[in-house]
Amino acid sequence: MKLFFSLLILLCFSGCIKEENEIKKQQEQVFFYKKEIPIIDEIWLKNKIAKRNGKILFVNFWATWCVPCVKEFPDLVKIYNENKSTDFEFLSVSVDLPMDIETKVKPFLAEQSAGFPVVVVEEKRSDEVINLINPEWNGAVPVTVIYDENGNRIEFISETKDYKFLSKSIERIKSL
Amino acid sequence: MLRKAAIILFFLVPLVVIAVFAFSNTDINHNSESPKIKIENFTLTDIYNEKHSLSDYNDSKAILIIFIATQCPVSNAYNLRMVELYNSYEDKNIAVLGVNSNKEESMNECKSHAESNGFKFPVLKDEKNVVADMFEASVTPEAYLLEPYTYKILYRGRIDDSRNESNVETQDLANALNEILAGKKISIVQTKAFGCTIKRI
């Protein structure tokens, strides 16, 4: 009987620790997005693409108001989590208005448990950013662009793609 | 010897100049390039079942076509501004047409959207994306200004430079319209902005 109660207390205790860890994890996630999300322009982005340090660059353009972007977001979180410790850099570029960072972007990122770096495009530089990424692009989101380790644009994906497709693209570019 | 050198220089110098010009200008100014898309006359039905052809508007000074959406928050942020544009330019003989090419937005939805937002300009439904394909349109909202008869694209792009009306600094579309009305050359013929994808069939 004593043994039974001891085991029960131990089980409850381990459950409490697990729950505490979960809360801690969530708090860390929220804390991450309490940090400032930079507002960037085409010069910032050009430098980011150029500074590769041997890593490929995966850039996703999205917005909280864009239904297909929101739909593909969990797959992007998965892509980041699975590749972050490899020669891979992930950049999430939100085209929400900078005034919506606190009220829309950060809550959405926390909800998605997204741990990747996020930047927001300065609205007045949209034209320049779009032309830097691809002169053929009209600005419709979502768009995913993958650069090789030399900063060459290898993939320009102008529609929603699933985890499997994106994973294959990354593996192909890593093996180039 | 001197003559030979002069002949070589005569051919070489222009070649070098052309090469330098061609390869040095890598940062192309996209805003001054005319969009090279061939637009032909088309006919679409509006939300009241009336047919409209581009050729119906050949007597206007320019034809303004705006690709719009009922569910896109960016396009919807411009509803009032589109009404104001129509009010400002309709009596100056600028034809204004809205085109909805989204497969998920029905004719009925387009009708109630147009009526609730007070659109006085015709809203045409591009059921099979024929017009969106011809214009290579992929984003809403996007404006195209056409020359009557030739349907040459005079301006393509955003209405202005901010989704938030209070932050607007440059009214790109109105500037192009004013330049047409003043008989001037359009200074900025193409602009871009982020928006929603046109969902095709």
Side-chain angles (χ1 to χ4, degrees):
Chain A
M1 197 65 177
K2 264 186 186 175
L3 188 69
F4 173 75
F5 277 115
S6 305
L7 277 172
L8 198 68
I9 289 164
L10 200 68
L11 204 69
C12 286
F13 191 63
S14 67
C16 287
I17 292 174
K18 201 179 166 191
E19 202 177 321
E20 204 175 298
N21 284 342
E22 280 296 314
I23 293 166
K24 206 176 164 189
K25 203 176 156 190
Q26 280 173 13
Q27 278 172 345
E28 276 170 3
Q29 206 68 259
V30 174
F31 176 71
F32 178 79
Y33 282 107
K34 275 184 181 168
K35 287 181 184 174
E36 200 182 339
I37 292 177
I39 298 163
I40 58 110
D41 60 11
E42 74 284 6
I43 299 163
W44 187 96
L45 210 48
K46 199 173 179 178
N47 288 334
K48 171 59 79 180
I49 296 164
K51 282 180 192 164
R52 290 294 76 245
N53 298 325
K55 291 183 177 184
I56 70 163
L57 178 65
F58 184 101
V59 190
N60 176 254
F61 286 83
W62 65 282
T64 55
W65 44 259
C66 159
V67 177
C69 305
V70 169
K71 200 177 159 191
E72 77 170 355
F73 218 84
D75 279 350
L76 298 169
V77 173
K78 199 172 166 190
I79 289 277
Y80 168 73
N81 289 337
E82 286 180 3
N83 290 278
K84 63 183 173 186
S85 49
T86 65
D87 286 337
F88 172 88
E89 189 176 357
F90 191 107
L91 180 66
S92 174
V93 184
S94 163
V95 301
D96 284 274
L97 293 177
M99 63 186 271
D100 293 332
I101 290 176
E102 296 299 328
T103 54
K104 292 179 182 170
V105 179
K106 284 184 181 177
F108 176 77
L109 292 169
E111 188 190 300
Q112 296 282 334
S113 302
F116 42 67
V118 180
V119 295
V120 167
V121 174
E122 186 186 334
E123 194 191 24
K124 302 284 182 194
R125 308 306 296 173
S126 300
D127 190 303
E128 290 78 3
V129 165
I130 294 166
N131 282 328
L132 168 77
I133 298 300
N134 185 352
E136 303 294 316
W137 182 24
N138 282 347
V141 285
V143 150
T144 296
V145 198
I146 313 176
Y147 296 87
D148 68 11
E149 57 192 24
N150 298 313
N152 299 312
R153 192 184 76 213
I154 307 295
E155 289 270 22
F156 180 85
I157 304 157
S158 60
E159 53 188 14
T160 314
K161 293 286 180 191
D162 61 11
Y163 166 80
K164 205 174 162 187
F165 180 94
L166 295 171
S167 267
K168 271 189 182 172
S169 298
I170 292 165
E171 287 314 313
R172 189 176 66 79
I173 293 167
K174 276 182 180 171
S175 66
L176 288 178
Chain B
M1 186 65 183
L2 206 64
R3 189 181 286 176
K4 257 188 180 176
I7 290 168
I8 291 167
L9 275 174
F10 180 77
F11 287 104
L12 204 63
V13 169
L15 273 175
V16 171
V17 169
I18 290 165
V20 167
F21 183 79
F23 294 107
S24 66
N25 192 18
T26 48
D27 283 334
I28 303 160
N29 183 0
H30 301 276
N31 291 344
S32 60
E33 284 180 356
S34 288
K36 290 174 183 60
I37 299 166
K38 174 85 181 134
I39 306 294
E40 288 171 354
N41 188 34
F42 63 81
T43 304
L44 285 180
T45 306
D46 74 12
I47 51 174
Y48 299 108
N49 216 21
E50 299 241 341
K51 288 194 183 309
H52 296 257
S53 299
L54 267 188
S55 55
D56 297 341
Y57 301 97
N58 279 343
D59 290 339
S60 56
K61 285 185 181 160
I63 307 165
L64 168 60
I65 289 178
I66 311 177
F67 283 87
I68 57 172
T70 62
Q71 295 171 21
C72 169
V74 184
S75 184
N76 281 327
Y78 280 92
N79 289 339
L80 184 61
R81 279 173 269 184
M82 287 191 262
V83 171
E84 287 166 354
L85 270 165
Y86 174 81
N87 290 340
S88 301
Y89 291 98
E90 191 263 341
D91 61 357
K92 294 184 176 94
N93 204 14
I94 301 289
V96 181
L97 299 165
V99 174
N100 184 308
S101 303
N102 272 310
K103 71 167 182 183
E104 286 161 6
E105 297 173 357
S106 67
M107 186 71 108
N108 277 342
E109 196 179 327
C110 293
K111 190 181 172 190
S112 57
H113 178 263
E115 286 173 352
S116 62
N117 286 292
F119 292 170
K120 291 183 213 155
F121 51 85
V123 174
L124 317 180
K125 185 66 191 162
D126 179 24
E127 298 275 10
K128 291 177 182 168
N129 312 132
V130 178
V131 173
D133 288 347
M134 190 200 291
F135 280 70
E136 295 179 17
S138 59
V139 65
T140 58
E142 191 176 31
Y144 289 76
L145 262 178
L146 307 179
E147 184 178 68
Y149 293 103
T150 63
Y151 311 131
K152 183 188 160 198
I153 298 172
L154 304 171
Y155 172 81
R156 176 189 185 179
R158 63 193 185 193
I159 292 170
D160 57 41
D161 67 346
S162 183
R163 271 169 267 164
N164 184 349
E165 202 170 355
S166 58
N167 288 340
V168 172
E169 289 172 3
T170 314
Q171 294 185 318
D172 306 274
L173 177 58
N175 289 347
L177 283 164
N178 293 339
E179 284 171 331
I180 289 171
L181 293 173
K184 291 179 185 169
K185 191 174 178 263
I186 296 178
S187 45
I188 295 175
V189 297
Q190 188 161 3
T191 57
K192 290 177 184 179
F194 292 108
C196 307
T197 304
I198 292 176
K199 291 169 202 79
R200 286 171 154 79
I201 52 166

